[in-house]
């Protein structure tokens, strides 16, 4: 039984210029980059890191924005409270629901910091539920979103997982700009404070 696939390009080793002269002609389309369980785990880790970083926010600095046209810290968190699950749903269904996005955005605007963090805390369960019935074939199927086509698995990685990592890194930069010089790689990548030196 093959593991769930998020890598779906049909190539063979002899087609790959990085493997010249190998004599290997076995199709590589089933050599998996990431299983579905690993994808869910990675998205849940993003939720953990985001909540950890959000816990470092000084509530007096929620209106901080690097430039006038960028999101404030609070606006960024509100966006992150809906982005991941709604884009996951779009990838699963193959359709972006603009009405659902608009309604979620309006709800997000009404939440304070505590309410926003509580909403983000639901994401771990949401990712597991949204992806529970997605099969290997579903992940290999081609969908079109925002004018671009690709496999469902690739879209989940490039749009959702990468998006979550990018935006929580933006939050990390906001925190550093607001004086949190104590934060470092452990906070950004592991969602934990660095161990205290012995």
């Amino acid at each position: 039984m093959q593991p769930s696939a998020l890598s779906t390009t049909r190539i063979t080793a002899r087609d790959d210029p990085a493997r010249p002269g190998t004599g290997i002609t076995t199709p590589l389309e089933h050599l998996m980059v990431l299983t579905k369980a690993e994808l869910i785990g990675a998205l849940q880790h993003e939720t953990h890191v985001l909540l950890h970083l959000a816990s470092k926010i000084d509530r007096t600095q929620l209106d901080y924005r690097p430039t006038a046209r960028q999101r404030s810290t609070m606006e960024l968190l509100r966006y992150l409270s809906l982005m991941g699950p709604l884009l996951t749903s779009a990838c699963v269904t193959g359709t972006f629901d603009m009405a659902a996005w608009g309604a979620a955005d309006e709800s997000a605007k009404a939440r304070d910091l505590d309410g926003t963090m509580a909403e983000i805390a639901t994401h771990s369960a949401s990712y597991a539920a949204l992806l529970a019935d997605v099969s290997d074939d579903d992940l290999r199927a081609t969908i079109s979103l925002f004018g671009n086509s690709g496999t469902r698995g690739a879209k989940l990685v490039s749009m959702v997982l990468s998006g979550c990592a990018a935006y929580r890194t933006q939050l990390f930069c906001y925190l550093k700009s607001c004086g949190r010089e104590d934060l470092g790689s452990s906070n950004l990548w592991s969602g934990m404070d660095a161990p205290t030196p012995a």
Side-chain angles (χ1 to χ4, degrees):
M1 180 177 178
Q2 298 290 342
S4 299
L6 296 186
S7 176
T8 60
T9 303
R10 290 182 173 273
I11 61 173
T12 65
R14 64 184 174 188
D15 297 324
D16 186 352
R19 299 175 178 231
T22 62
I24 300 172
T25 58
T26 303
L28 297 181
E29 70 259 29
H30 294 303
L31 297 182
M32 311 312 174
V33 174
L34 196 65
T35 67
K36 186 175 79 173
E38 288 169 338
L39 173 63
I40 293 171
L43 290 168
Q44 290 174 334
H45 178 70
E46 288 300 323
T47 301
H48 166 75
V49 173
L50 178 56
L51 287 170
H52 169 75
L53 292 175
S55 74
K56 304 296 184 180
I57 295 171
D58 180 339
R59 290 173 182 253
T60 66
Q61 296 177 318
L62 288 172
D63 291 331
Y64 167 78
R65 65 183 79 233
T67 63
R69 295 177 65 85
Q70 288 182 264
R71 291 184 177 104
S72 68
T73 299
M74 191 67 236
E75 289 167 345
L76 178 59
L77 280 176
R78 286 173 176 150
Y79 176 75
L80 284 167
S81 74
L82 61 96
M83 184 270 289
L86 287 183
L87 288 183
T88 298
S89 178
C91 289
V92 170
T93 62
T95 303
F96 180 70
D97 188 337
M98 182 62 78
W101 182 280
D105 186 49
E106 287 303 313
S107 295
K109 289 175 181 176
R111 295 190 194 105
D112 60 10
L113 178 60
D114 292 329
T116 300
M117 291 182 68
E119 180 64 22
I120 292 170
T122 69
H123 289 188
S124 287
S126 295
Y127 290 130
L130 286 165
L131 295 169
D133 296 327
V134 176
S135 69
D136 290 0
D137 287 342
D138 292 331
L139 290 170
R140 296 183 184 108
T142 298
I143 61 173
S144 180
L145 287 172
F146 308 113
N148 295 301
S149 295
T151 64
R152 181 173 279 107
K155 291 289 187 185
L156 284 163
V157 171
S158 65
M159 287 177 45
V160 187
L161 183 57
S162 297
C164 287
Y167 283 113
R168 53 103 163 161
T169 301
Q170 183 178 356
L171 177 61
F172 176 79
C173 291
Y174 278 27
L175 289 167
K176 297 286 276 187
S177 294
C178 287
R180 291 304 305 260
E181 293 300 320
D182 56 308
L183 301 180
S185 296
S186 294
N187 304 100
L188 176 60
W189 297 107
S190 300
M192 60 182 289
D193 294 329
T196 302

